[in-house]
Amino acid sequence: MLKNRLFQEQLVKDFTELLNPALQGDDLEEAVSRWRKAHLPKGALILQELKEQERRSEIYVEFGHVKHPMAPGKSSVLTKAAVEVFAKNFLEKPEVLLISESAKKVHWQFGRLLDRLGLVVNPKKTLPDLIIAETSSKGFRLVFIEVVHTDGPISNERKRELLELASKSKLTESECAFVTVFSSRSDPAYRKVQSSIAWGSFVWFADEPERIIYLIDGESSRTRSLNDFLGI
């Protein structure tokens, strides 16, 4: 109780200092930034950063030595988070094979990578927002990622289409993974499409970067009990 009261008092004190009329311009922005970092939850800070990125006129997705430009908007911001945060957290040795945009389906640099791997992609058909290869010593895996800010998750039908794409390059289902990306669990887009997300796929939220949901398909898995899931 005492700890909580002291925290509340410090919170009010720090916020009151922001109302100081002497704080102007850059000093005020710096003070507000310090207050956010000190008192807002990590998820709230991430969502605030995502919103600030949406307002930028230019968005660059960085991977390796590449800075790939994308059109401004929420979809691009989530794509950036998927490449720069999700892949770093959940893949051991990721290689970005494809970033697709409606304006330009397959950039030439990705076309070369796909050709080198023998992955057959038809730009006239609906492509996933991202394809990232896991190239660690544990084995090769294609990770198909859909970024959702309105609709278009990895549904059962979408998963079948992507498996057909992989099969043309002689890749099996066990060599593929499927991820749908949202900004947060409170995002209206997630609530809108959550019931259509495919079993056997993953869901990742940008504001909870170290966590991931796996929709386990018991029919195609040998795991049958909670003890199996928990490794007991």
Side-chain angles (χ1 to χ4, degrees):
M1 291 291 291
L2 176 61
K3 184 177 181 181
N4 185 56
R5 182 168 61 81
L6 292 175
F7 174 79
Q8 292 293 334
E9 289 176 355
Q10 186 64 45
L11 175 66
V12 172
K13 179 178 179 293
D14 291 348
F15 184 78
T16 303
E17 290 177 357
L18 297 179
L19 304 178
N20 184 347
L23 281 176
Q24 300 288 333
D26 292 343
D27 290 338
L28 177 59
E29 288 188 15
E30 184 177 341
V32 170
S33 178
R34 286 198 303 270
W35 185 89
R36 286 174 177 167
K37 291 178 181 178
H39 299 294
L40 292 181
K42 181 178 179 180
L45 289 172
I46 292 173
L47 288 177
Q48 181 64 36
E49 173 62 21
L50 293 177
K51 290 178 181 177
E52 290 176 1
Q53 289 183 31
E54 283 182 52
R55 293 192 287 268
R56 295 175 187 170
S57 59
E58 293 181 325
I59 295 175
Y60 290 93
V61 180
E62 298 186 32
F63 50 95
H65 300 292
V66 177
K67 287 183 67 174
H68 179 72
M70 295 192 71
K74 186 172 182 178
S75 179
S76 296
V77 169
L78 290 177
T79 298
K80 178 179 175 69
V83 171
E84 298 179 6
V85 183
F86 165 79
K88 178 181 178 182
N89 287 350
F90 292 99
L91 301 177
E92 295 181 23
K93 192 176 179 183
E95 294 289 343
V96 178
L97 300 183
L98 175 72
I99 298 177
S100 68
E101 293 183 85
S102 57
K104 183 164 49 180
K105 282 295 185 183
V106 181
H107 191 278
W108 63 267
Q109 84 181 48
F110 298 122
R112 288 183 176 178
L113 286 171
L114 295 170
D115 288 343
R116 197 180 309 163
L117 287 171
L119 187 63
V120 181
V121 170
N122 184 353
K124 293 182 180 180
K125 292 189 175 182
T126 304
L127 297 175
D129 294 313
L130 278 168
I131 302 177
I132 300 179
E134 169 64 281
T135 62
S136 74
S137 59
K138 295 179 181 178
F140 180 87
R141 188 183 303 275
L142 276 189
V143 183
F144 295 100
I145 301 174
E146 292 286 13
V147 170
V148 178
H149 67 99
T150 52
D151 55 20
I154 299 281
S155 62
N156 286 321
E157 180 180 357
R158 189 78 178 106
K159 183 180 175 183
R160 283 193 295 271
E161 292 173 351
L162 294 173
L163 283 172
E164 287 179 12
L165 170 64
S167 68
K168 291 177 181 177
S169 302
K170 296 182 172 52
L171 293 171
T172 65
E173 183 170 354
S174 63
E175 295 172 302
C176 301
F178 306 89
V179 183
T180 305
V181 171
F182 300 90
S183 60
S184 73
R185 282 188 277 180
S186 61
D187 188 341
Y190 174 59
R191 295 199 297 270
K192 176 183 176 183
V193 304
Q194 61 178 323
S195 63
S196 65
I197 299 174
W199 291 107
S201 70
F202 296 88
V203 179
W204 182 74
F205 303 100
D207 70 334
E208 300 178 84
E210 291 87 15
R211 296 170 177 160
I212 195 166
I213 293 175
Y214 181 29
L215 298 171
I216 297 174
D217 184 356
E219 292 183 358
S220 60
S221 170
R222 294 181 181 178
T223 304
R224 287 290 182 269
S225 70
L226 289 181
N227 285 342
D228 291 333
F229 291 127
L230 296 171
I232 298 174

